[in-house]
Amino acid sequence: MSVQNPAEVVLTEALSPPRPNPGPEPWRDDFPTWMLLIALVVAAGLFLAWRLRRRRGPALEKPSTTPVDDSSEARLLALGESVRAILARRLGPGLRARTTEEILNDPQVIELLGSDRVQLASILGAGDRVKFGSRGTAEGFEERLDEWRSWAGTLDARLR
C-alpha cells in the first residue's frame, strides 16, 4: 500500500456536525467565582467611600496663617481674618478667596458699608503690608489697632 500525501487527499464527502448536536460546553466547575465576588465588593466599597468623601467635603480645615505670638503684627492679621470672616458670613464663602482690592470694589460691599469702606481698606491694607511685605513696611499701625478693633466689633451688627 502506498502512502499518499495528505495534501493530495480529496474529500468526497461533505463535512457535517455530529448528530445529535451536543450544544454548548458545560460551565467549568473550577472557575473562581469567589474572585469575582471579591472584586465586586471592593469596587462597591471604593464607590461608597468616594461618594461619602464628596458629600462630606475636605477632611480638614485650612490652617490659619496668623502667627501664634502676641505681637501687634499678629493681632492685626487676626483682626483682618475676623473682618473677612464677618463679611464672608454675610456675602458668602467665596469672599475669602478674593484679594483686598476685589473686596473693596465689590458692589455688595460698597452698598453695605458705604463710607465705612475707608476703615475696611485701612485694616485690610495694613494687614496685607504686614503679611506680604518685609519688616517695617507697615509701621505706624499700632496706634490705630485699638480703633480698628472697636470698628470691627460693631461690623457684624452693622451688616444685619
Side-chain angles (χ1 to χ4, degrees):
M1 179 162 141
S2 70
V3 177
Q4 292 182 346
N5 185 356
E8 296 176 3
V9 175
V10 178
L11 295 176
T12 57
E13 297 180 18
L15 293 177
S16 62
R19 304 263 188 237
N21 188 351
E25 292 185 23
W27 188 266
R28 294 185 342 208
D29 289 335
D30 62 340
F31 182 76
T33 56
W34 58 272
M35 289 177 70
L36 180 63
L37 291 174
I38 289 176
L40 287 174
V41 168
V42 168
L46 289 173
F47 177 74
L48 288 175
W50 174 73
R51 291 284 301 222
L52 287 174
R53 172 166 260 166
R54 280 188 63 202
R55 184 178 301 160
R56 222 181 283 147
L60 297 174
E61 275 291 318
K62 189 176 175 183
S64 176
T65 58
T66 58
V68 181
D69 62 2
D70 194 33
S71 67
S72 57
E73 287 89 2
R75 287 184 288 156
L76 177 63
L77 291 176
L79 178 63
E81 283 186 23
S82 67
V83 166
R84 285 179 186 265
I86 291 168
L87 289 171
R89 276 196 306 265
R90 171 65 186 216
L91 302 174
L95 186 116
R96 288 184 169 271
R98 296 184 190 168
T99 64
T100 299
E101 185 176 317
E102 291 171 337
I103 292 172
L104 293 174
N105 292 324
D106 186 295
Q108 291 178 324
V109 173
I110 293 171
E111 181 183 327
L112 286 173
L113 294 179
S115 63
D116 282 344
R117 273 186 343 149
V118 174
Q119 289 285 22
L120 178 66
S122 300
I123 294 169
L124 296 180
D128 286 348
R129 286 189 298 277
V130 167
K131 187 187 283 187
F132 301 116
S134 59
R135 280 250 185 238
T137 56
E139 289 181 7
F141 69 87
E142 290 90 357
E143 59 271 357
R144 297 195 61 197
L145 196 56
D146 290 330
E147 173 192 342
W148 289 341
R149 188 175 286 149
S150 65
W151 178 84
T154 63
L155 179 63
D156 198 20
R158 247 183 293 178
L159 292 179
R160 290 179 191 214

